[in-house]
Amino acid sequence: MKGIRRMVGIDRLNYYTPRSYLDMHTLAEARGVDPMKYIKGIGQEKMSVIGPHEDIITMAAEAAAPICDDKAAIDLIIFATESGVDYSKAAAIYLQHLLEIPNPVRVIELKQACYALTSGLHLARDFVLSHPGKKALVVSSDVAWYGFETAGEVTQGAGAIAMIVSENPRLAVVNSGTPYTSDVPDFYRPNTHDVPIVDGKFSIECYNTALKQTFTPGGYTYIGFHMPFAKMADKANRILQDDAISDDALLHVKSFSKEIGNIYNGSLYLALLGILTGVGDLTGETIGMFSYGSGSIGEFFTLDIQPNYQDVIEKDAWTTHLSSRQALDMLGYEMAMEHFIKREKETDYHFSLTAPDDATFALKAIDNGHRVYTRL
């Protein structure tokens, strides 16, 4: 009916991070650094490390599978990543097959540094508005890798975010945001490089500029910030001055990020997980969200939390997943990343190890560059 506003947004939300991590004390000792430089200086306590059976598609599947309870209604899959496995074929095609989402369905992969997931969320919102009764699966999955003994090593991590976007969402209505785009060389990875080219100080300046250009005051109790490292939330919050959130609120914003590390596209949504998990009742709250992707684009938008949101979030499962991970020593960390780096360059590969008992999906093989997955 004309004049009635249709509400569209996040109906379900989930995440996945690998089952192994490296403690920052362990990394600091190996690199001859005061642990407080990592823990207090950049705000990180742990770094998730990808397992030998995993890649960005399996992580995305692990995040998405528990919330795909109405597969026939999913008409669009958007996969945001800057860790893509193919220059041509979308990672979303592998994901559609692995999750057994039936046709007809559209799929696409998006890239713009750490911003693509936010772009995908808004594209999905517009898609659902123009396709009544349909839903969209929006995912991100990334492995942040800068190399051993580099300045960025402490800001690594791995993980995935999954969201179901629908009409009358049970979790949060997504409101239109304000974007800001600028051509800057703060962080980029040309085809000739295995790891990004990073100007950390300049990138923070670009981040701050984008935040200032897009922020809309609203008296928010909670604001999620994109966090390439957890301390970035503190730096960003100071930019807001009189509109800054409290120190207690910041603790919730950073709670997942400090345990997982940088997951590129999903990093902003780790902040949302922290808020949803740590705060008692958010009914009726409007949460600010600042997304930033180097190169660069920033966007500030808001989420209106719905009355029965607690019925569709999994606080216990989210926190248990973090607390049940296994710590690695330096040898385990180095072996895991060496395996990942070597495998990602191979055109033929066979997984010969045993996946963890609680894993659901695994990369079984690479056959002439084509990836073959299995449900365990």
Side-chain angles (χ1 to χ4, degrees), residues 7-37:
M7 297 192 301
V8 175
I10 303 169
D11 187 65
R12 296 292 306 277
L13 170 70
N14 196 31
Y15 86 105
Y16 172 80
T17 195
R19 295 165 175 82
S20 297
Y21 70 88
L22 182 67
D23 190 281
M24 290 299 99
H25 285 91
T26 303
L27 180 62
E29 181 180 353
R31 301 298 182 235
V33 174
D34 181 352
M36 290 301 104
K37 181 178 180 180

Side-chain angles (χ1 to χ4, degrees), residues 92-155:
I93 290 181
Y94 288 115
L95 184 64
Q96 180 262 347
H97 175 74
L98 197 51
L99 295 177
E100 299 178 341
I101 294 175
N103 279 301
V105 62
R106 299 169 174 87
V107 302
I108 192 169
E109 181 177 320
L110 296 183
K111 178 184 73 178
Q112 172 37 47
C114 300
Y115 169 77
L117 180 57
T118 294
S119 178
L121 176 59
H122 287 286
L123 288 172
R125 171 182 175 271
D126 292 345
F127 177 86
V128 171
L129 279 169
S130 62
H131 294 78
K134 295 299 183 180
K135 299 181 181 181
L137 170 61
V138 184
V139 303
S140 72
S141 189
D142 276 302
V143 179
W145 168 246
Y146 299 99
F148 298 122
E149 299 186 69
T150 62
E153 185 178 26
V154 68
T155 62

